[in-house]
Amino acid sequence: MEAKLKGPSPGLSLGLTSVTDLSLDQVFELFENAQRELAPISSNNPTSKPVLGALCFFENSSRTKISFERAGRDLGLEWIDFQPERSSLQKGESWRESLQLLKIYGAQFLVTRHAETGFADWARTWTKLPVFNAGDGAHEHPTQALGDAFTLWKRAPQDKFQIAFFGDVARSRVARSSSQLFQKLGHRVQVVNDGTLSTKNFAEAFQVELVDRSQLKKIDVVYALRTQIERGSRSSLGPLRFSDLGESTLVMHAGPVIEGEDLEFSLCDFSVARLLVHEQVKSCLDVRRAILHRFLLDTQGGRA
Amino acid sequence: MIHYSKNLWNRDLKRFQSGYFKVENQRISEIEFKSPAFGSSTEDWGDLYLAPASIDLHVHARDFEESHKETFETVEAAAKKGGVAAIACLANTRPRRDSVASIQEFIKRTESKKVLFRPFAAVTKDLAGKENTDWQALLKLPIAGLSDDGKPIEDPERMRAVMKVLKGTSKLLSLHEEDLSLSQGSCLHESPAACRWGVVASPPSAEVSMVERDLRLAKELGVSLHFAHMSSREGVQLLNAARKKGIKFSAELTPHHALLTVDEVLKMKVDQLSQFKVCPPVRGLEDQLALRSNFLDGTLDCFATDHAPHSLFDKELPIEGALHGFSSLEWHWTLANELRLQAGVDWSVLIRATAERPAELLGLSNRLGSLAKGKDASFIVFDPLEEVLLVPGASKNHNGPWAGRRCRGKLVATWLGGERVYEARS
């Protein structure tokens, strides 16, 4: 199997904090590997212990955390589940120190989610450990973006899609990461104009087109964003409606879908083929497994 | 001792001329724009320029419980390296300068320094905006004035009250103009560049609405205000219009608002952003251009650094958790000169904004702000065109965007009261 892996890769030995760190070759290598049954890595040293990662979720998340956990277990990893809400953070301990302590407890890499932009990069600086960014504020969510892009690649590896983001893009890390990765892969990315300055700023910052809601019928994929209720935001667009879509328009959403807020109720039948939400969940799991696999190869010198 | 140069600032003719001045008992006893009778005690500066030392109205000197950020010794060293003879220090030290005793403590700690320290006293206890400090008692002390800088004075009734107390005094009311309901939690200027990073951004309206309110109140009461660190085009346009209507005020331009734009963050890595976090934020190009043109016409009549040192611990964080502020005092003069060259500022405007005007506002014109008979022999020696690398060294901490940049204008030496207190390494 090792020979079939595409390479050489610049590697993920430092983890992954931003989609901008990835080359196209790396992305395609991850996609190829995400399609495979990846076996646990066996170290060259038969007496060595399993690699230990720490899941550090400072913001609520169930899906991403379960996804990383499962992907790691498939590869023989062990996890420390750091639970900030139950830790000394309540007593004023800083995150900086919490993460440094995890290193002392033996963590060899971190998966972090936090409400602040740049947290994953700082976690790497503070601990000198590899860090995988599972969401930093409204900034990035690179493994979600890879899962999203993989979802489309599986459907048609050669096709370039026209994709429109629908919702409050300015507060969305999913929109930031996925729009950059989609563009890198040659897809045409648009943002539905909700008339706000922040959406206009987003379009300018990422050099994507603004498109009217009425144009969605002609678009291949509508990517609906989660309403960021916890950040005090409701999109002025309201939910994505069945009547917005063309006959073959695909609908993506990073989950969890807030039914009636993000998508109107009649669109929330997750068994319908055009709604890719569950496919995305599967894709993200497969991609995270491929990422951790690549990481273990790069850092442990093991054999697949 | 006599100092001679081919380029000595002549404040009457508003240009540099060949001339000399004589120093006796720390003061200028004679100044002539001709060649002196050269003797053994003549310092011939040749082609180098001689101008009055600066006065910086906006310095966070820290010390006390924040001596890990800056001490009175290190901030004084930074002032000397920046060509600065006097600094007005804001009240947000820890603990705050919000009582007579705390001001007296400040004065006692700093009165023997070569650089002149003038404290601001807080408008409200702990700068919390709830309970007034003892304004009458504080105004009897040798303070620069009153200021809650770092925070706005949100309550308009309190603003009217403090204006009334200050009316007729020569003390400053230095205002940090920010409507917190529009800017709470903000890290950068609202713009596509800020949107790139997904952080909370502050719109110009946060400044504009407060400037508008306070100009109105000042006009009603006939009081002169001091507007700290102006950042926005619309804010400075309001000041310009007020000036034309004859409303009296003074206002600061900082080097970061004058020389940088928010688009710099597009070139940064995510872990460099916290070094660009300052309040009010560095805004867009149109704001920068408006600030510059209002500096040229004297609407913004003071050049002030808003020197705000923080420890690495406060800045080596995600931008949202990092503290606001840049360390910049030690480059005060070089940054002012870089602005002069970039914006085409006349020497007379620059020297008015760095020295004369702030000296007037602090009531120090009898000693500082110009080179004239009877004034302190406090001056700077510089080459206005030599490019220098900004290398930190004087302040205790070096946060912000300046270290490592190249600017034009080499400060060769700073003399305060006839004594050389700083000399650049050749």
Side-chain angles (χ1 to χ4, degrees):
Chain A
M1 184 180 263
E2 192 179 39
K4 287 185 197 162
L5 287 167
K6 272 195 176 177
S9 157
L12 292 171
S13 57
L14 298 175
L16 177 66
T17 58
S18 166
V19 291
T20 58
D21 295 340
L22 292 165
S23 67
L24 269 184
D25 282 349
Q26 271 179 301
V27 173
F28 288 125
E29 181 202 306
L30 289 171
F31 288 174
E32 296 281 357
N33 290 330
Q35 286 190 306
R36 297 200 170 90
E37 292 283 328
L38 294 171
I41 304 283
S42 56
S43 168
N44 288 332
N45 177 355
T47 64
S48 69
K49 293 179 195 162
V51 171
L52 184 63
L55 296 162
C56 314
F57 281 67
F58 294 83
E59 261 193 338
N60 289 335
S61 155
S62 48
R63 297 171 181 233
T64 306
K65 189 170 165 183
I66 292 168
S67 182
F68 265 106
E69 195 170 3
R70 167 70 206 279
R73 288 199 202 289
D74 288 348
L75 299 171
L77 282 169
E78 281 191 13
W79 293 108
I80 297 173
D81 184 2
F82 175 65
Q83 297 188 333
E85 71 275 14
R86 292 191 202 161
S87 79
S88 308
L89 285 174
Q90 303 295 335
K91 302 173 209 155
E93 178 184 303
S94 75
W95 335 296
R96 188 161 24 193
E97 197 197 352
S98 310
L99 297 184
Q100 286 163 348
L101 291 180
L102 289 171
K103 186 177 185 180
I104 297 174
Y105 292 134
Q108 290 162 280
F109 72 96
L110 310 176
V111 178
T112 63
R113 165 165 298 186
H114 193 276
E116 294 185 353
T117 287
F119 186 85
D121 293 81
W122 280 109
R124 186 151 67 192
T125 303
W126 297 330
T127 61
K128 312 270 187 285
L129 288 175
V131 175
F132 292 93
N133 182 4
D136 58 334
H139 177 224
E140 282 245 27
H141 195 355
T143 58
Q144 177 71 44
L146 284 160
D148 293 342
F150 180 51
T151 304
L152 296 178
W153 185 82
K154 276 191 296 184
R155 296 182 82 88
Q158 303 302 324
D159 281 10
K160 304 300 176 202
F161 292 87
Q162 189 176 350
I163 305 161
F165 284 89
F166 180 94
D168 188 357
V169 282
R171 295 186 196 223
S172 170
R173 57 184 164 228
V174 171
R176 269 186 190 76
S177 280
S178 296
S179 65
Q180 290 185 83
L181 187 62
F182 287 153
Q183 284 182 303
K184 189 174 208 148
L185 293 167
H187 302 307
R188 181 173 168 197
V189 176
Q190 295 170 317
V191 167
V192 177
N193 191 356
D194 62 1
T196 64
L197 176 62
S198 54
T199 294
K200 199 168 145 272
N201 282 340
F202 182 97
E204 195 177 327
F206 294 99
Q207 298 183 332
V208 297
E209 299 162 74
L210 284 171
V211 63
D212 277 342
R213 181 177 195 157
S214 61
Q215 302 299 303
L216 289 181
K217 286 191 166 62
K218 301 180 205 156
I219 281 170
D220 304 323
V221 182
V222 177
Y223 198 125
L225 299 168
R226 190 169 65 81
T227 309
Q228 305 276 322
I229 294 170
E230 74 279 18
R231 297 183 215 273
S233 119
R234 273 207 161 72
S235 170
S236 55
L237 294 166
L240 183 66
R241 298 189 185 281
F242 200 82
S243 58
D244 289 321
L245 307 174
E247 274 178 27
S248 58
T249 310
L250 300 170
V251 176
M252 296 181 85
H253 190 296
V257 175
I258 304 177
E259 299 182 16
E261 287 275 355
D262 305 348
L263 308 177
E264 74 172 341
F265 288 106
S266 61
L267 265 175
C268 292
D269 179 352
F270 295 97
S271 61
V272 174
R274 66 149 74 184
L275 189 57
L276 304 183
V277 178
H278 288 181
E279 245 184 276
Q280 286 171 265
V281 171
K282 175 73 167 66
S283 296
C284 284
L285 173 63
D286 291 341
V287 159
R288 287 179 184 125
R289 194 185 297 109
I291 289 168
L292 292 174
H293 188 267
R294 180 77 253 171
F295 167 69
L296 292 170
L297 287 178
D298 290 342
T299 54
Q300 304 301 308
R303 295 186 302 110
Chain B
M1 185 167 190
I2 287 172
H3 293 273
Y4 165 76
S5 159
K6 288 181 186 148
N7 294 300
L8 172 64
W9 180 245
N10 184 330
R11 68 164 181 170
D12 298 322
L13 297 183
K14 298 191 189 311
R15 59 188 173 93
F16 286 96
Q17 270 189 305
S18 178
Y20 73 93
F21 58 86
K22 197 170 173 181
V23 180
E24 282 175 304
N25 297 325
Q26 304 174 25
R27 288 172 193 251
I28 296 172
S29 60
E30 186 184 330
I31 180 162
E32 295 285 349
F33 291 91
K34 60 184 185 189
S35 289
F38 282 91
S40 58
S41 64
T42 302
E43 180 86 66
D44 182 355
W45 294 102
D47 292 329
L48 290 172
Y49 286 58
L50 266 58
S54 297
I55 289 134
D56 195 324
L57 291 178
H58 204 129
V59 172
H60 296 273
R62 314 292 187 211
D63 206 299
F64 303 105
E65 285 171 23
E66 289 179 319
S67 54
H68 62 295
K69 298 190 181 193
E70 190 84 290
T71 66
F72 290 136
E73 288 66 42
T74 54
V75 82
E76 187 187 28
K80 290 171 177 173
K81 185 179 166 190
V84 177
I87 54 177
C89 302
L90 280 307
N92 66 341
T93 57
R94 284 181 196 277
R96 313 300 195 182
R97 300 302 108 187
D98 59 2
S99 65
V100 168
S102 66
I103 292 292
Q104 284 168 337
E105 184 190 13
F106 182 100
I107 292 169
K108 198 174 162 198
R109 288 277 317 278
T110 56
E111 64 190 351
S112 64
K113 303 252 175 253
K114 200 79 192 167
V115 170
L116 213 57
F117 285 62
R118 278 283 184 275
F120 276 98
V123 175
T124 64
K125 294 255 182 204
D126 200 31
L127 286 77
K130 296 209 168 73
E131 191 189 338
N132 297 340
T133 55
D134 187 348
W135 299 333
Q136 301 284 6
L138 290 165
L139 287 169
K140 290 184 185 126
L141 302 173
I143 56 172
L146 298 175
S147 180
D148 268 1
D149 180 72
K151 291 185 177 167
I153 298 170
E154 293 185 273
D155 177 0
E157 188 46 46
R158 188 190 313 284
M159 182 61 95
R160 276 175 63 93
V162 70
M163 283 180 182
K164 283 179 189 165
V165 170
L166 276 154
K167 188 170 182 179
T169 73
S170 58
K171 305 296 186 193
L172 296 173
L173 180 57
S174 180
L175 300 175
H176 172 118
E177 299 294 40
E178 180 182 13
D179 183 338
L180 293 175
S181 62
L182 290 167
S183 65
Q184 198 68 260
S186 66
C187 302
L188 295 170
H189 167 61
E190 186 169 64
S191 57
C195 198
R196 162 73 184 80
W197 297 107
V199 296
V200 178
S202 166
S205 50
E207 178 173 272
V208 176
S209 60
M210 292 291 270
V211 169
E212 191 162 32
R213 180 197 77 176
D214 291 338
L215 282 171
R216 238 174 252 275
L217 293 174
K219 191 181 164 200
E220 280 173 13
L221 297 176
V223 182
S224 176
L225 300 175
H226 181 76
F227 293 92
H229 50 49
M230 291 298 298
S231 70
S232 68
R233 179 176 61 98
E234 284 174 86
V236 82
Q237 282 171 346
L238 283 174
L239 292 186
N240 194 308
R243 184 176 62 86
K244 286 175 181 155
K245 282 187 209 150
I247 298 173
K248 300 281 181 227
F249 61 87
S250 49
E252 296 168 2
L253 178 62
T254 73
H256 44 281
H257 293 114
L259 291 168
L260 307 173
T261 70
V262 66
D263 288 341
E264 299 235 348
V265 303
L266 292 172
K267 293 177 282 180
M268 290 184 186
K269 290 188 159 59
V270 70
D271 57 2
Q272 295 172 313
L273 293 176
S274 53
Q275 296 293 352
F276 206 74
K277 184 175 178 181
V278 68
C279 183
V282 169
R283 299 193 187 274
L285 183 61
E286 63 175 26
D287 298 288
Q288 186 200 69
L289 295 176
L291 292 170
R292 287 179 175 191
S293 67
N294 280 279
F295 187 67
L296 294 177
D297 75 7
T299 303
L300 302 177
D301 54 357
C302 298
F303 181 83
T305 55
D306 194 0
H307 174 68
H310 289 296
S311 66
L312 282 181
F313 202 75
D314 300 318
K315 278 288 198 182
E316 292 197 331
L317 289 170
I319 180 169
E320 285 151 299
L323 295 179
H324 292 96
F326 300 158
S327 169
S328 48
L329 182 59
E330 67 190 82
W331 301 301
H332 174 109
W333 189 84
T334 296
L335 294 170
N337 185 65
E338 179 65 28
L339 171 62
R340 179 185 70 83
L341 291 164
Q342 281 193 28
V345 181
D346 280 347
W347 279 116
S348 63
V349 170
L350 192 78
I351 291 172
R352 175 128 186 95
T354 54
E356 284 171 22
R357 182 67 173 141
E360 286 168 20
L361 292 169
L362 289 183
L364 293 170
S365 294
N366 58 332
R367 293 179 55 189
L368 297 171
S370 58
L371 299 177
K373 190 175 171 182
K375 308 265 169 118
D376 289 7
S378 295
F379 61 97
I380 52 176
V381 182
F382 60 91
D383 176 336
L385 292 176
E386 186 176 336
E387 191 176 89
V388 291
L389 179 66
L390 303 185
V391 181
S395 262
K396 193 157 186 174
N397 280 288
H398 298 283
N399 47 288
W402 298 120
R405 287 182 194 244
R406 292 191 169 276
C407 283
R408 289 161 292 176
K410 181 175 181 173
L411 189 71
V412 174
T414 303
W415 289 62
L416 299 181
E419 185 187 323
R420 190 178 60 209
V421 296
Y422 169 78
E423 187 178 24
R425 275 175 250 156
S426 60

